[in-house]
Amino acid sequence: NAGVTQTPKFQVLKTGQSMTLQCAQDMNHEYMSWYRQDPGMGLRLIHYSVGAGITDQGEVPNGYNVSRSTTEDFPLRLLSAAPSQTSVYFCASSGGRGLRRTGVYGYTFGSGTRLTVV
Amino acid sequence: EDQVTQSPEALRLQEGESSSLNCSYTVSGLRGLFWYRQDPGKGPEFLFTLYSAGEEKEKERLKATLTKKESFLHITAPKPEDSATYLCAVHPSGYSTLTFGKGTMLLVSP
């Protein structure tokens, strides 16, 4: 019963490099999302998905790509890393599109990926 | 624009000293309000969901309440293990996502 698993936990990139942050959940949740958390800024939504094959942009999508080919996985791709993307990234999932199911279980978050771009 | 404002930004309490955290919100229709706890270096952990004004939820020393404009997280006789950052989030009508406040960092000293 792993919940939401994020890899890697830590990563250092050079400016211009690309990489993929992995997120997997084993709860058969329809809804998955990516947030970044910065000091003084709180959690900000990057991209989200309401089911396999369906994705949409959040508040801060620039510089990031996502895809959702399976229910379990929702990777976040950094196309060309910039120092402004230094942050802690969280993946979250929820039980369903219906609010009541979402509310009962809340959003389950992963433990985060701490990314530094130099 | 949907907004969530939490106050205070930081709060220091002595063990056993009860207090409240505030979350005020402005949304175009509220489907739900969430409270989370976040420990350093970890992801947010779900605490409560409140759906309508007047609703209350309790868990151990925590009690969350909701009005049409704000929510309170009351902490009764806190212990050092209650030290964490507490996050509030709203689920606006017509959207699939949550909007978070910046959090209140709580430190409970023995």
Side-chain angles (χ1 to χ4, degrees):
Chain A
N1 190 10
V4 177
T5 302
Q6 291 185 238
T7 56
K9 293 190 182 301
F10 302 94
Q11 183 71 48
V12 179
L13 288 179
K14 293 183 178 179
T15 298
Q17 286 185 317
S18 63
M19 79 160 294
T20 299
L21 307 185
Q22 301 291 345
C23 175
Q25 51 92 8
D26 61 359
M27 298 170 285
N28 201 31
H29 283 174
E30 293 178 344
Y31 178 92
M32 297 184 75
S33 58
W34 277 101
Y35 287 86
R36 61 178 288 174
Q37 188 172 41
D38 303 289
M41 299 295 293
L43 283 160
R44 292 182 292 169
L45 182 66
I46 305 171
H47 286 286
Y48 66 99
S49 169
V50 297
I54 306 170
T55 64
D56 206 346
Q57 296 181 351
E59 180 185 357
V60 289
N62 293 340
Y64 307 96
N65 266 358
V66 292
S67 60
R68 184 95 178 269
S69 57
T70 68
T71 300
E72 294 78 20
D73 300 298
F74 191 45
L76 178 71
R77 283 181 287 275
L78 278 69
L79 309 174
S80 177
S84 61
Q85 293 179 304
T86 294
S87 186
V88 181
Y89 292 84
F90 288 103
C91 178
S93 74
S94 178
R97 302 182 193 185
L99 173 64
R100 290 290 164 172
R101 272 192 292 164
T102 300
V104 168
Y105 300 109
Y107 283 55
T108 302
F109 282 81
S111 57
T113 295
R114 185 174 295 273
L115 175 68
T116 302
V117 182
V118 298
Chain B
E1 182 181 334
D2 302 323
Q3 286 191 332
V4 180
T5 303
Q6 291 189 247
S7 62
E9 291 184 9
L11 180 63
R12 182 188 291 261
L13 299 174
Q14 290 295 120
E15 184 172 3
E17 179 186 2
S18 301
S19 187
S20 297
L21 313 182
N22 177 263
C23 171
S24 62
Y25 61 90
T26 305
V27 294
S28 54
L30 180 69
R31 298 177 67 192
L33 185 140
F34 295 73
W35 282 98
Y36 288 85
R37 169 192 172 125
Q38 186 175 22
D39 294 300
K42 296 188 176 182
E45 177 186 346
F46 171 72
L47 292 173
F48 305 110
T49 309
L50 301 168
Y51 294 104
S52 57
E55 189 174 0
E56 299 181 351
K57 294 273 180 73
E58 287 189 65
K59 180 179 180 180
E60 295 181 358
R61 295 175 293 281
L62 301 177
K63 179 181 177 180
T65 62
L66 181 65
T67 72
K68 289 186 177 180
K69 293 184 177 182
E70 58 191 349
S71 177
F72 291 94
L73 184 65
H74 306 280
I75 303 175
T76 302
K79 298 181 178 181
E81 53 261 42
D82 294 322
S83 298
T85 295
Y86 290 86
L87 302 172
C88 172
V90 297
H91 191 153
S93 297
Y95 292 88
S96 303
T97 62
L98 299 185
T99 299
F100 281 84
K102 295 180 181 180
T104 294
M105 185 182 302
L106 174 66
L107 178 62
V108 182
S109 302

